[in-house]
Amino acid sequence: MTGYTARAYDTAGRQVGEASASAAEFKRTALIRLGVPATPVTVTVTARNAHGESAPSLASAPLAPTAAHTLPAAPTGPKLRTAATAATLAWTPPTDTGDARVTGYRVTVSDGRAPVDVTGRDVLVTQPSAKGMFRVIGGLRPGTRYTVTVAAVTAAGVGPAATVTATTGSTAQQGQVVGN
């Protein structure tokens, strides 16, 4: 599988929007942001691979898009448990999600240089929840100080980030737990 394409159609059956996503980051769930007019639309999805594109799915029920304007609050209680080459980031989702539900989280990692976005299907969520969330971050260097941020993403955009900083252990040491 190489990707998915979502297409939106107005009530007259005319295509009014299209967006694609790569399958490289997704195993079971893909999030495709599809810009559509503020009128009811139906959506179909196709999958594509090296052999071509699939037939479209059945059309969704009519969807009436609404604009979201209020950003979500920052996640709370970020904690970073480190090992020599990996860390586990844990946080609690924001209680105030603005005027839209949380569709994912933007996680960045920096060792003092420019922050790098952490991507992957486990950064996405399907239901907002007050339960704790976590993300394992690999490929880190031993004995290095990292700053990690996590911010909720909704249809209105990316909200403010919560930040936590910790140092990875050496290969002979156990990691540490740091939280705000």
Side-chain angles (χ1 to χ4, degrees):
M1 183 71 58
T2 60
Y4 304 93
T5 300
R7 292 180 179 89
Y9 300 90
D10 65 13
T11 55
R14 293 181 300 255
Q15 185 174 323
V16 294
E18 180 175 313
S20 295
S22 167
E25 294 182 24
F26 305 105
K27 299 260 190 238
R28 293 185 184 156
T29 303
L31 174 67
I32 299 176
R33 186 175 299 259
L34 182 63
V36 296
T39 58
V41 297
T42 58
V43 177
T44 64
V45 177
T46 58
R48 68 182 177 286
N49 62 22
H51 301 288
E53 189 168 272
S54 72
S57 66
L58 293 175
S60 69
L63 305 169
T66 58
H69 302 286
T70 306
L71 291 174
T76 59
K79 291 181 178 42
L80 195 60
R81 181 180 180 100
T82 63
T85 60
T88 300
L89 172 65
W91 69 92
T92 301
T95 54
D96 180 3
T97 63
D99 54 1
R101 58 179 221 165
V102 174
T103 58
Y105 289 90
R106 180 172 187 222
V107 177
T108 65
V109 177
S110 175
D111 61 0
R113 297 176 283 187
V116 175
D117 282 340
V118 175
T119 59
R121 68 181 174 85
D122 52 350
V123 178
L124 299 174
V125 296
T126 57
Q127 295 293 329
S129 166
K131 295 179 181 178
M133 305 288 297
F134 72 94
R135 170 63 157 96
V136 176
I137 304 165
L140 305 179
R141 293 188 320 257
T144 304
R145 186 167 181 79
Y146 287 95
T147 299
V148 179
T149 66
V150 58
V153 178
T154 68
V158 179
T163 303
V164 64
T165 301
T167 302
T168 54
S170 69
T171 55
Q173 294 175 327
Q174 290 287 2
Q176 60 178 332
V177 177
V178 176
N180 289 341

